[in-house]
Amino acid sequence: MTVPAAFNAFRIHNDDAGYRSGIEAVSIDDLAPGEVVIKSAYSSINFKDALAGTGEGKILRKFPLVGGIDVAGHVVASSDAKFKEGDAVLVTGCGLSEVRDGGYSEYARLEAKWAIPLPAGLSLRESMVLGTAGFTAALALFRLLENRQAPELGPLAVTGASGGVGSLALDIFSRAGFEVHAISGKADQADYLKSIGASQVLGRDALATTRPMESARFGGGLDNVGGPMLASLLAQTAPYGNVATAGLAATHELDTTVMPFIIRGASLLGVASAGTARAIRDEIWQRLASDWKPAHLDRICTREVALSELPQVFPAMLAGGSLGRTLVVI
Ligand SMILES: NC(=O)c1ccc[n+]([C@@H]2O[C@H](COP(=O)([O-])OP(=O)(O)OC[C@H]3O[C@@H](n4cnc5c(N)ncnc54)[C@H](OP(=O)(O)O)[C@@H]3O)[C@@H](O)[C@H]2O)c1
């Protein structure tokens, strides 16, 4: 298959004319170099994509770049012998829409070292309903289990539960045998949250405390929000429980005390999906395609959009309005 001379991509600029993004025609040589060229089938929308697409966050480290931190599609050409025409591959993170052109493009040029052969057990579509959000939720579970998290320690709390990472964490954690409590600002979505794995749904202020320690209510959890919510979750975590921190949907700040760590032995574990080493990346995608594969991907994929519709989705996402995952059909 040949790549057309010009094709559509959602490109982000920041120059004398200001910060702007939109669909434009590009050629393959406009894209960052890479060994593997794919015809993109799907991408997805993550919080980081909304920050990058609107300029509300400093995500891109060079301009212009094609947006989209996730992409999946079929190989059109490869100068690396590990890939051949027709192979199904995916990439999440790994510098896409940060230091190199991303997945919001009809064709994408990828580095072979980060291209993951689509694991058996996942369709291309499912891989992008998961995307960075699913990879991050699974990476959080991986980190928790590495540090001996066990269902016996108590339920896991998931904050920002209605969002992409949150929704997939509810499903994946419950599949892995944990009782999961959703912390959400969307009381009207309690039925949705329960249908994808939450055994209880609590409001955003249910955790609220300014005390350094509270009674231990959770075995640990995953925080997507930052700030007082993360501090309160730590204060309510059981002895030797773990809290994974992945997000800053409310704030990047964290004001806490050492008490949960030195009195209860609680741990705060970092989750950084974009820079995950290849060996762990491979292991997580294998788990996502098998025993950790979410049981409710169809329900969690609440919306499908075309490249041209991206700008309509970003503002609502940044305002906390996400529900599940938005798939980009290319
Ligand atoms: N570390 C990593 O590798 C990594 C990877 C992916 C994402 N992230 C981060 O994780 C977070 C979630 O990403 P996402 O793609 O899942 O975003 P998303 O789909 O937009 O979900 C964010 C959720 O956070 C909650 N929220 C939003 N604003 C809030 C506020 N002011 N106070 C409290 N809760 C608020 C909302 O859930 P409720 O209405 O249910 O409360 C919202 O649905 C983002 O900060 C993102 O940057 C990090």
Side-chain angles (χ1 to χ4, degrees):
M1 186 192 278
T2 51
V3 179
F7 51 88
N8 285 328
F10 181 88
R11 217 167 181 212
I12 304 168
H13 296 261
N14 189 13
D15 52 26
D16 293 344
Y19 200 102
R20 64 201 185 281
S21 58
I23 301 277
E24 57 188 82
V26 297
S27 76
I28 200 73
D29 290 327
D30 291 330
L31 305 182
E35 300 81 14
V36 185
V37 176
I38 66 166
K39 185 172 194 314
S40 311
Y42 300 101
S43 179
S44 78
I45 308 186
N46 300 278
F47 200 82
K48 201 169 172 181
D49 295 313
L51 290 171
T54 56
E56 289 295 317
K58 288 197 175 89
I59 304 297
L60 272 61
R61 287 191 252 148
K62 58 187 281 199
F63 295 90
L65 282 183
V66 174
I69 64 171
D70 295 341
V71 70
H74 288 106
V75 174
V76 174
S78 174
S79 60
D80 185 297
K82 287 194 292 299
F83 298 95
K84 60 177 192 320
E85 187 177 343
D87 286 352
V89 298
L90 67 100
V91 177
T92 58
C94 301
L96 296 193
S97 182
E98 202 174 329
V99 293
R100 52 182 295 114
D101 293 286
Y104 292 160
S105 179
E106 290 176 311
Y107 291 82
R109 194 149 70 169
L110 307 170
E111 292 173 293
K113 67 179 177 187
W114 295 122
I116 308 266
L118 183 73
L122 282 184
S123 66
L124 276 180
R125 186 180 188 282
E126 288 172 328
S127 78
M128 286 293 105
V129 175
L130 289 165
T132 284
F135 182 82
T136 301
L139 180 60
L141 181 59
F142 178 91
R143 298 277 282 134
L144 293 170
L145 294 175
E146 262 190 334
N147 215 32
R148 295 174 171 263
Q149 191 70 37
E152 297 70 40
L153 288 177
L156 294 179
V158 174
T159 66
S162 71
V165 177
S167 293
L168 289 160
L170 296 179
D171 198 326
I172 294 168
F173 293 3
S174 60
R175 270 214 72 182
F178 289 90
E179 182 181 333
V180 192
H181 293 189
I183 317 294
S184 175
K186 301 188 185 82
D188 56 333
Q189 294 299 339
D191 288 346
Y192 162 76
L193 296 166
K194 285 185 177 161
S195 78
I196 59 171
S199 61
Q200 286 193 37
V201 177
L202 308 169
R204 282 186 194 168
D205 50 9
L207 301 188
T209 181
T210 49
R211 300 188 344 164
M213 298 249 286
E214 289 285 347
S215 55
R217 184 173 178 183
F218 301 106
L222 166 60
D223 178 61
N224 292 304
V225 169
M229 198 162 311
L230 173 54
S232 301
L233 178 51
L234 284 166
Q236 292 168 61
T237 290
Y240 287 94
N242 303 284
V243 177
T245 168
L248 41 53
T251 173
H252 65 277
E253 289 178 0
L254 177 61
D255 185 6
T256 186
T257 77
V258 299
M259 300 302 269
F261 310 113
I262 67 171
I263 303 296
R264 293 212 177 117
S267 294
L268 182 58
L269 307 176
V271 175
S273 60
T276 306
R278 177 72 198 229
I280 296 175
R281 201 169 273 281
D282 287 340
E283 190 176 334
I284 297 225
W285 278 109
Q286 288 305 324
R287 301 293 299 260
L288 281 168
S290 55
D291 55 333
W292 289 357
K293 182 174 177 179
H296 308 99
L297 281 177
D298 284 344
R299 201 168 294 154
I300 291 170
C301 182
T302 54
R303 191 169 175 190
E304 293 187 10
V305 297
L307 286 179
S308 58
E309 296 171 282
L310 290 169
Q312 297 162 28
V313 182
F314 294 152
M317 187 169 216
L318 295 178
S322 297
L323 184 67
R325 292 277 289 157
T326 299
L327 185 72
V328 181
V329 181
I330 301 177

